[in-house]
Amino acid sequence: MARPTVVPRPQERAFGPHELFFSTTDRKGIIRSGNQVFVRVSAHPLEALLGAPHNIIRHPDMPRAVFQLLWSYLDQGKPFAGFVKNMAADGCYYWVMALVVPIDGGYLSVRLKPSSAFFPVVRDLYTELLTIERAAGDGGGAWRAGMAAATARLVEAIGSLGFASYDEFMRIALAAELSGHRDAQRAFAASGHEPEGVTADLAPTLASCGAVEHGLDDLFSRVDGLLATIKQLGTAATYVLGLAGDIHLISLNALVGSCRLERGGEGLSVVTEDLARLSQECTDNVNAMAVQLRELSGSLGETAFSVTAAKLQIEMTSCFIRELSHERLAEPDATADARLRGDLRTLTESLMASTAHLIAALPRAQAPIPRLIRLQHELETDLRRLSSVHLIGAIQAVGIPEAGMFRELLDRIVGQLQRSTGELEQLAEGVASLRQHLPVFERTALDARRATESFRTVALRAA
Ligand SMILES: Cc1cc2nc3c(=O)[nH]c(=O)nc-3n(C[C@H](O)[C@H](O)[C@H](O)COP(=O)(O)O)c2cc1C
């Protein structure tokens, strides 16, 4: 049966910043289940949602490019996080930050109300993307070109916000949204409005869920530090790469300059050859460091995202256990109960997968650290040697009147070396802090995994 056409209205559908909701789909995006908050916010009866494609709540203001991005992540088996404007059955709109993760046979999407500073920026960006897509038109496949142009603009805008990729953006945006939700959740709990307790059969599940929440909270509170270190390493790496290039170029110029000197050029060319060799070593070292740094920030980013995802999933599970209990009390119904138990199993398994992913990413995150420290020491030695070669060059150039340009180049090398000290110290600090904190992070993650395993046993028994 054809779905009735919903006309968008400019009214927002209200829901609380402490609330969470989810839906699960098959691999094609056909809705398999959802919780009561989803039903309430979307204003569709549950029966209308189950079996419907997820675009049942698609808002016409959403650019196609965003959904293309979502599906490209999912098709690669990767989780996706992003802002989405949805349309309820009565035409009202509501915005969410959605985390969509692959599960057995399909996907799970957990949503929360956006409140971070990223949200208004992205809302405006989506308006711009939609204008680009609409300007391209639909006919004769023109929509494809429109979607490609909107994607290009999305990538550019993410870059100008200071993010290297959408991956990096979604990690940081999801963590920011989850922090906002956590604060709202705490305020709601303190307000005394939170419904109390759960049925006796679910009490052990909720208690065990609380232990996981506690462990993941501890990890999540460390994520900000991790994300800040990733940023610091990225900035330092960009600088160090530029530095090596500059020194190499100046050294080559010095080499050419010394060859052109008629008097005293031979003495200086020994110095400049040394400079060129050393600066080449620096460049090789710095390139090797850049590879390690990229690897390090990639796996740290993955770790940070897995913690955030697991934290959101345990919060969702905790809300759902309460919801399950209230539904059972309000309306004991065997069919609904079976579905809800299935959902609890899905949430639990998906949480297990996120913690497993986190544990797997941690050794990868730690592997580049010793290599980085070694490369960093080698680079420091090269820079010290460069500094003493410069001194020898400066002494030799004193007696050569035409060596003015040469002296200038040497001074520029020294200037670069002096400027590099601070940046290299920053890099060293970042790496040292990771070396110190990652093992603690790993222990906390292993504790959280143990708590998740106990929770799984209890939850599966209750389900
Ligand atoms: C788990 C999951 C959750 C989704 N949630 C939404 C959603 O909340 N809103 C939405 O418009 N699309 C959502 N989608 C994407 C839709 O399947 C669909 O791609 C999108 O609505 C675009 O529809 P269209 O191709 O008909 O334009 C979701 C997909 C999956 C797999």
Side-chain angles (χ1 to χ4, degrees):
M1 200 174 66
R3 267 192 270 136
T5 313
V6 180
V7 179
R9 291 199 289 149
Q11 274 89 26
E12 185 171 4
R13 155 114 17 244
F15 65 99
H18 60 281
E19 292 191 289
L20 292 176
F21 53 105
F22 75 89
S23 57
T24 62
T25 69
D26 66 9
R27 289 210 176 91
K28 295 206 157 97
I30 304 295
I31 301 175
R32 291 201 302 209
S33 67
N35 65 334
Q36 276 308 315
V37 182
F38 180 42
V39 171
R40 194 191 80 228
V41 175
S42 71
H44 284 283
L46 183 66
E47 308 75 62
L49 291 169
L50 301 182
H54 222 306
N55 68 3
I56 187 173
I57 51 166
R58 189 201 197 295
H59 199 289
D61 286 354
M62 272 300 286
R64 284 183 170 125
V66 177
F67 293 120
Q68 191 198 33
L69 191 64
L70 168 122
W71 282 104
S72 75
Y73 270 74
L74 299 185
D75 288 344
Q76 294 170 62
K78 288 183 359 185
F80 171 87
F83 293 97
V84 181
K85 183 178 187 177
N86 279 324
M87 185 164 67
D90 55 5
C92 287
Y93 71 88
Y94 62 94
W95 280 93
V96 293
M97 160 54 84
L99 166 72
V100 188
V101 295
I103 54 171
D104 201 17
Y107 305 102
L108 161 72
S109 169
V110 180
R111 302 170 195 117
L112 54 122
K113 193 180 176 77
S115 62
S116 77
F118 294 113
F119 173 48
V121 178
V122 171
R123 200 177 42 195
D124 291 349
L125 175 64
Y126 282 10
T127 308
E128 201 189 320
L129 301 185
L130 192 69
T131 310
I132 296 174
E133 290 182 353
R134 286 194 176 150
D138 271 345
W143 63 271
R144 276 184 219 283
M147 191 164 70
T151 304
R153 173 66 192 125
L154 174 68
V155 171
E156 183 195 33
I158 292 290
S160 55
L161 286 173
F163 298 103
S165 59
Y166 188 84
D167 262 12
E168 194 190 331
F169 164 75
M170 73 175 191
R171 260 179 232 146
I172 294 178
L174 183 69
E177 292 302 346
L178 187 54
S179 290
H181 166 78
R182 191 174 53 167
D183 296 345
Q185 172 63 42
R186 283 180 183 158
F188 184 66
S191 72
H193 288 101
E194 195 170 42
E196 269 177 35
V198 289
T199 46
D201 57 332
L202 286 172
T205 316
L206 191 63
S208 178
C209 184
V212 185
E213 271 181 280
H214 188 70
L216 286 173
D217 212 44
D218 191 355
L219 272 182
F220 183 61
S221 60
R222 296 167 199 267
V223 161
D224 270 353
L226 212 57
L227 292 173
T229 311
I230 299 174
K231 197 102 212 131
Q232 182 187 349
L233 293 179
T235 317
T238 313
Y239 176 82
V240 172
L241 265 177
L243 163 84
D246 284 352
I247 294 184
H248 196 51
L249 197 69
I250 301 172
S251 305
L252 290 180
N253 280 336
L255 187 60
V256 173
S258 71
C259 291
R260 287 203 190 123
L261 284 179
E262 284 176 9
R263 258 188 324 117
E266 323 75 54
L268 282 183
S269 69
V270 176
V271 172
T272 48
E273 272 161 24
D274 273 356
L275 276 180
R277 189 181 41 77
L278 275 173
S279 70
Q280 181 62 53
E281 270 177 43
C282 274
T283 312
D284 293 347
N285 250 326
V286 162
N287 285 336
M289 275 175 92
V291 171
Q292 298 299 324
L293 279 169
R294 258 199 303 277
E295 208 174 285
L296 180 64
S297 49
S299 39
L300 282 179
E302 242 183 79
T303 306
F305 191 71
S306 299
V307 173
T308 313
K311 169 79 180 137
L312 181 56
Q313 283 169 288
I314 193 67
E315 292 299 329
M316 181 69 255
T317 311
S318 165
C319 290
F320 186 63
I321 294 169
R322 288 170 207 276
E323 208 179 274
L324 188 64
S325 170
H326 297 133
E327 277 196 54
R328 271 187 189 170
L329 284 175
E331 206 179 336
D333 167 349
T335 322
D337 209 49
R339 184 178 50 76
L340 294 169
R341 283 159 186 267
D343 286 345
L344 180 58
R345 272 197 298 277
T346 303
L347 287 172
T348 309
E349 295 301 354
S350 159
L351 171 68
M352 274 301 290
S354 287
T355 42
H357 199 260
L358 161 66
I359 302 291
L362 272 167
R364 257 182 291 144
Q366 294 181 72
I369 292 180
R371 281 178 240 147
L372 262 173
I373 293 177
R374 183 176 49 75
L375 287 167
Q376 199 184 298
H377 287 155
E378 283 173 19
L379 182 63
E380 276 163 11
T381 312
D382 286 345
L383 293 177
R384 267 198 305 275
R385 281 205 228 134
L386 261 178
S387 199
S388 43
V389 173
H390 153 266
L391 208 64
I392 299 171
I395 293 168
Q396 291 199 356
V398 170
I400 309 170
E402 311 90 73
M405 173 274 237
F406 180 78
R407 273 196 295 273
E408 205 180 291
L409 288 173
L410 286 180
D411 287 346
R412 275 173 55 198
I413 292 186
V414 163
Q416 295 285 32
L417 291 178
Q418 278 163 353
R419 271 194 293 281
S420 72
T421 317
E423 295 292 334
L424 283 175
E425 268 168 16
Q426 276 237 340
L427 191 68
E429 264 170 35
V431 175
S433 132
L434 283 175
R435 189 158 72 154
Q436 189 190 346
H437 289 114
L438 279 180
V440 184
F441 197 87
E442 188 169 25
R443 276 197 296 280
T444 320
L446 287 170
D447 287 347
R449 201 219 357 222
R450 268 190 288 278
T452 310
E453 275 164 355
S454 316
F455 165 69
R456 180 171 179 255
T457 311
V458 181
L460 294 187
R461 214 179 291 140

